[in-house]
Amino acid sequence: MQKITIRKILKKKNKTPIVCISAYSKTIAEIADKHCDMILVGDSLGMVLYGMKSTREVKIETMILHAKTVKRFSKRSLVVFDMPYKTYLNKYDAYKNAKKVLKQTKCDAIKLEGGKEMSDTIKYLTKNKIPVMGHIGLQPQASVNFRVKGKNLIQEQKILNDAESISKSGVFAIVIECVVEKLAKKVTKSISIPTIGI
């Protein structure tokens, strides 16, 4: 069984769809691992498993506990750790917390929400050998207003700018959440790295 690496994910751009799923437990990790390229240990576990009102309530210790389990039972997939709310307020906090997370969980990469405003943090992390996946469009940590993004020209331009900015900053892939299909396709064509739609 060959391990999926970031290099292999990058090579899939414009060739094959990337299969990515969220997992929080041993059982789901074992099932998903047979069929996925990437497994995201998402902060959505706060609502899905613990009945929290939003992802903002999720603590890094809880995420680490679940990520350890998912990583242990994922032999093939690239495992990505979703950095919780307020764990990357500046590039130094982001690095300290990301380093802790990767050391304790053995995950392959982290994911951060945010567009252009996260560029400096992403550059700092990747320069210091922390692999980063980006996340644009709807950002649950930033707002509990769950509405489709990209319906007007202002939103469209912002999302395109965000994608370009974090792509150039060093992310290896970008999650595009809750964005109109036409714009999501436009974003995917405009950058050189893979995108994952949710």
Side-chain angles (χ1 to χ4, degrees), residues 119 122 161-172 174 190-193:
S119 294
I122 291 164
N161 288 343
D162 283 344
E164 182 183 12
S165 181
I166 65 172
S167 174
K168 287 180 177 176
S169 297
V171 296
F172 68 89
I174 300 175
S190 73
I191 56 176
S192 61
I193 57 172

Side-chain angles (χ1 to χ4, degrees), residues 43 47 53-57 85-86 88 113-114 117 135-149 155 158 177-178:
D43 59 4
M47 294 175 286
K53 290 181 180 179
S54 78
T55 59
R56 290 184 176 191
E57 298 178 55
Y85 183 56
K86 287 191 174 179
Y88 50 100
E113 289 184 17
E117 74 281 3
H135 181 146
I136 60 172
L138 176 67
Q139 296 164 39
Q141 290 180 10
S143 172
V144 292
N145 183 5
F146 283 24
R147 291 182 180 174
V148 176
K149 304 294 180 182
Q155 287 184 359
K158 182 186 185 309
E177 181 169 0
C178 207

Side-chain angles (χ1 to χ4, degrees), residues 3-52:
K3 169 74 179 168
I4 302 290
T5 61
I6 288 172
R7 183 174 290 182
K8 287 178 182 176
I9 295 293
L10 288 167
K11 283 183 178 179
K12 285 179 175 282
K13 174 75 176 181
N14 296 328
K15 291 178 183 174
T16 20
I18 294 166
V19 180
C20 179
I21 195 169
S22 290
Y24 322 117
S25 66
K26 169 187 180 289
T27 307
I28 301 302
E30 285 181 319
I31 295 168
D33 191 47
K34 296 170 187 175
H35 309 285
C36 290
D37 299 303
M38 282 195 280
I39 294 176
L40 173 67
V41 186
D43 59 4
S44 53
L45 66 80
M47 294 175 286
V48 175
L49 298 183
Y50 294 100
M52 295 174 182

Side-chain angles (χ1 to χ4, degrees), residues 60-77:
I60 197 168
E61 292 76 19
T62 306
M63 289 293 299
I64 287 171
L65 184 65
H66 285 274
K68 280 182 178 179
T69 301
V70 170
K71 180 60 178 173
R72 192 180 312 131
F73 293 98
S74 302
K75 306 302 179 189
R76 177 180 170 275
S77 305

